[in-house]
Amino acid sequence: MTNYVLRRLLSIVALAFGISVLVFLIIRLIPGDPAIALLGTNAGDASLVARLHHQLGLDQPVHVQYLRWIGNVLRGNFGYSYGDQRTVSSLLAANFPATIQLTLAGLALSLIFGSLLGVLAAVRRNRPADTVTMGVALTCMSIPSFWLGLLLILLFAVKIPIFDVVGGTSLKGLVLPAVTLALGSIGFNARFVRSSVINAQQQKHVITARAKGITAWQVFRKHVLRNAMLPILTIVGLQVGQLISGVVIVETVFSRPGIGRLLVQSILSKDYLTVQAVVLIIAVIYAVTNLLVDLLYPVLDPRVGNR
């Protein structure tokens, strides 16, 4: 087990290194000069442009820029955002909690309602309830989040003013963004849970339990549901990454503070250091979450650890 954990930790380090190199190079392929974008109307002064190039380190070779940046990151220094006139670390600290709040809310909604719909469809397999539930799940997966967000704002913030329109960080302001973020995952979870429950119902120990005269509810609760829910853990790691990437759109649509909206604004303003920091952190969170899932799975299912 120790060797496995060490191998996974090394893979996370390698992944973070690869992501850092890719984002460092790709962001520099975006057309335009960040110094000119920052100077705005003063960009006509060549001396000011040259001075800002020097301050940003853009006058150095690319490999020197990367080594300088990654060295600072390893020391906990993500650099300085000239666009916001503050350190990148302070920007991340100010926006990260709102993103975590939205991601956890979306994950909770997707797991709860996706599991309920999946179990209902499996129990009513090949019946009208199954067809309707899977139709709802497919619809949830097909609706674009940006369109759904605008529709929810129109219905529940403008026509029926129940929730905050945009920018809300309270519980009322969290509802619409969380629903928008979670809807696609709800449909995916419903289809996945349905398949898991149907597969669990066909296992030999379940058939044996029924033959012994155990009530249908006891068989379902002790033998079917428990085994069917376990595979959900394997997709939680994937969904966390999907939800964190989805906040880029949701936070922008709802003008909600967070690293997703910060990323969009930083790309538009060509704030290299902020973009690199946000993408790197998202990649590390995704990798660490999947590592935790891999470590928890043998604990919840000892059969996996014995293989």
Side-chain angles (χ1 to χ4, degrees), residues 111-241:
L111 290 178
I112 293 173
F113 290 99
S115 299
L116 291 175
L117 290 175
V119 170
L120 175 62
V123 172
R124 299 295 181 180
R125 184 184 180 188
N126 298 327
R127 298 180 184 178
D130 181 19
T131 303
V132 173
T133 303
M134 286 299 97
V136 171
L138 182 60
T139 302
C140 292
M141 295 173 62
S142 304
I143 297 178
S145 58
F146 66 89
W147 181 82
L148 175 63
L150 295 175
L151 182 62
L152 291 179
I153 291 174
L154 178 63
L155 291 178
F156 298 107
V158 179
K159 298 293 185 182
I160 308 175
I162 300 176
F163 302 104
D164 295 337
V165 180
V166 291
T169 56
S170 62
L171 181 60
K172 288 180 62 177
L174 178 64
V175 174
L176 295 184
V179 171
T180 303
L181 183 65
L183 198 64
S185 297
I186 289 175
F188 177 80
N189 283 343
R191 297 175 66 86
F192 187 84
V193 170
R194 177 183 181 274
S195 300
S196 298
V197 171
I198 291 175
N199 181 66
Q201 288 176 330
Q202 297 172 347
Q203 298 299 314
K204 292 182 179 179
H205 67 278
V206 175
I207 298 175
T208 302
R210 290 171 178 167
K212 290 181 178 179
I214 301 176
T215 63
W217 167 243
Q218 290 180 328
V219 172
F220 183 79
R221 181 172 59 87
K222 293 183 178 180
H223 300 285
V224 176
L225 192 60
R226 182 178 178 181
N227 293 326
M229 291 295 104
L230 191 59
I232 291 295
L233 182 63
T234 61
I235 65 172
V236 169
L238 297 176
Q239 288 197 341
V240 168

Side-chain angles (χ1 to χ4, degrees), residues 32-39 52-53 56 58 269-272:
D33 189 333
I36 294 177
L38 290 173
L39 289 173
L52 188 54
H53 274 165
L56 295 175
L58 298 176
S269 62
K270 298 181 177 59
D271 190 348
Y272 286 178

Side-chain angles (χ1 to χ4, degrees), residues 248-249 252 259-269:
V248 175
I249 296 176
T252 302
I259 60 172
R261 188 182 177 199
L262 176 64
L263 178 61
V264 173
Q265 294 174 340
S266 301
I267 292 175
L268 295 177
S269 62

Side-chain angles (χ1 to χ4, degrees), residues 278-300:
V278 171
V279 175
L280 182 61
I281 287 178
I282 290 176
V284 171
I285 291 175
Y286 180 76
V288 171
T289 303
N290 280 276
L291 172 63
L292 294 177
V293 169
D294 290 343
L295 296 180
L296 284 175
Y297 203 89
V299 175
L300 298 177

